[in-house]
Amino acid sequence: MGNIIEIKNLSRTFGDVKAVNDLSFNVKEGELFAFLGVNGAGKSTTINIICAQLEKDGGSVMIDGEDLDKCTQSIKSKIGVVFQNSVLDKALTVKDNLESRAALYGITGDDFKKRLEELSKLLDFGALLKRTVGKLSGGQRRRIDVARALIHDPKILILDEPTTGLDPQTRKLLWNVIYSLRKEKNMTVFLTTHYMEEAADADYVVIIDNGKISAEGTPLELKNKYTGDFITLYGITEREAKILSDEFESLRDAYRISVSDTEEATRLITCHPQIFKDYEITKGKMDDVFLAVTGKKLTGGDDNENG
């Protein structure tokens, strides 16, 4: 599985602010790649450069073996983008929005009708085709945003916080669609998100802060490096919890202690089998990783970053 995106020494400044600072990373073909950072970390700037909507100051961007500087139009045809804020025309109907977008890629007539039918089934918006976008709910509009990004059957789908503010049902639908496209077409998905459970499902994660990479790896690698394990014990007394650790958290019906890794948990179980009657061991979460790496919590909201 080769690299479909290769970023080397990428930089971009806005005045005195280094929004992207000598950034280098690769994205493998077909993977779900999570690109994480707080507002202003450099995520949107990087995405805008990849999409050829913003010029870089330095470095190189290779997309599917082509140099962005030399093959801009070819690269644009390989990328579909779901922006944080909808770019649909609110005055037009759903069908007219998608038809005008498809025409930019030379998809017209019967070809457009066929593609529209495919996408309306996939994203369940057949009943919305004649409605103006301005009258759609947030979840309905998001489905059309995704259809717009997929209209030309791109190799790479860039999702810039695609599910922020959506109801659980719409979030599930979108992720089911993304899963099926990855499985059937080996589509590469480049994701930014404030929902750490979405990042936890990624194949590879890059966390950036102030335009630089703070950490990268698979979710499991990052959890093992930056967080420990947690043991939750049920039906024990506070005195028994103190035997295991000086520091513990009291829950409603249990006590939770932190251990550095599974090996330490095994040692405690072996030494104190009488205490471990009802328990579970869990890994730290991606939220814990992000906090450990950046010292900040990742929260939702509009990303008004220059960076």
Side-chain angles (χ1 to χ4, degrees):
M1 189 165 62
N3 297 327
I4 194 165
I5 300 176
E6 296 180 356
I7 308 289
K8 291 182 182 175
N9 308 115
L10 189 66
S11 63
R12 171 70 202 213
T13 60
F14 295 93
D16 296 331
V17 178
K18 290 185 177 180
V20 177
N21 191 357
D22 198 29
L23 190 64
S24 298
F25 63 86
N26 299 321
V27 180
K28 293 190 179 300
E29 186 174 4
E31 78 177 353
L32 172 56
F33 178 92
F35 195 51
L36 308 180
V38 296
N39 292 351
K43 306 186 305 297
S44 291
T45 298
T46 303
I47 287 173
N48 286 334
I49 291 171
I50 291 172
C51 297
Q53 293 201 334
L54 183 67
E55 288 189 6
K56 56 185 170 55
D57 293 336
S60 66
V61 178
M62 298 290 292
I63 308 289
D64 198 25
E66 296 181 323
D67 189 328
L68 181 62
D69 292 336
K70 299 174 183 175
C71 308
T72 306
Q73 287 307 121
S74 172
I75 286 172
K76 280 185 174 181
S77 71
K78 297 178 181 182
I79 297 174
V81 189
V82 177
F83 294 100
Q84 244 180 92
N85 299 312
S86 180
V87 291
L88 298 167
D89 189 327
K90 293 181 180 180
L92 295 180
T93 65
V94 167
K95 183 182 177 183
D96 288 344
N97 263 281
L98 296 177
E99 190 166 19
S100 62
R101 184 64 180 174
L104 294 177
Y105 296 96
I107 304 169
T108 58
D110 289 341
D111 289 338
F112 169 69
K113 288 179 183 177
K114 182 182 176 183
R115 187 64 180 144
L116 183 65
E117 186 177 345
E118 290 171 354
L119 290 172
S120 63
K121 284 182 180 177
L122 188 68
L123 288 155
D124 190 25
F125 62 81
L128 305 175
L129 289 171
K130 295 181 180 179
R131 298 218 356 224
T132 55
V133 167
K135 293 181 180 179
L136 301 181
S137 69
Q140 290 170 335
R141 194 177 303 132
R142 211 55 174 151
R143 281 185 268 157
I144 311 308
D145 282 325
V146 174
R148 177 187 180 276
L150 294 174
I151 196 77
H152 59 297
D153 199 17
K155 295 184 74 171
I156 302 167
L157 180 63
I158 296 179
L159 302 171
D160 195 2
E161 295 184 31
T163 58
T164 298
L166 294 186
D167 61 274
Q169 186 177 353
T170 304
R171 282 179 70 188
K172 185 177 180 183
L173 170 66
L174 292 184
W175 278 110
N176 285 343
V177 167
I178 292 162
Y179 174 79
S180 67
L181 289 171
R182 290 184 63 217
K183 186 177 178 182
E184 293 167 16
K185 301 195 173 187
N186 199 35
M187 179 180 284
T188 305
V189 178
F190 187 108
L191 169 74
T192 80
T193 182
H194 280 111
Y195 295 113
M196 287 296 96
E197 69 269 26
E198 294 179 347
D201 290 332
D203 298 301
Y204 200 80
V205 177
V206 164
I207 299 174
I208 67 167
D209 198 17
N210 295 319
K212 290 184 175 182
I213 292 178
S214 297
E216 62 179 308
T218 67
L220 181 58
E221 288 169 348
L222 292 172
K223 288 174 189 177
N224 285 338
K225 184 172 182 179
Y226 293 102
T227 73
D229 292 356
F230 296 98
I231 308 174
T232 305
L233 297 105
Y234 301 92
I236 68 168
T237 64
E238 184 175 336
R239 183 183 63 80
E240 288 173 314
K242 283 181 179 177
I243 292 172
L244 300 176
S245 174
D246 291 332
E247 293 184 13
F248 55 85
E249 183 182 357
S250 177
L251 306 177
R252 175 184 286 185
D253 57 351
Y255 289 92
R256 187 169 75 165
I257 65 171
S258 176
V259 291
S260 57
D261 51 33
T262 308
E263 187 177 345
E264 185 184 348
T266 304
R267 182 180 60 77
L268 284 174
I269 294 167
T270 305
C271 292
H272 307 281
Q274 73 282 3
I275 298 177
F276 285 84
K277 296 185 180 78
D278 187 7
Y279 66 93
E280 60 185 352
I281 302 173
T282 55
K283 290 277 181 197
K285 295 188 167 124
M286 286 301 296
D287 296 88
D288 302 312
V289 170
F290 192 88
L291 185 59
V293 169
T294 66
K296 304 162 189 170
K297 287 189 176 180
L298 195 57
T299 54
D302 289 334
D303 193 347
N304 300 316
E305 61 179 77
N306 274 334

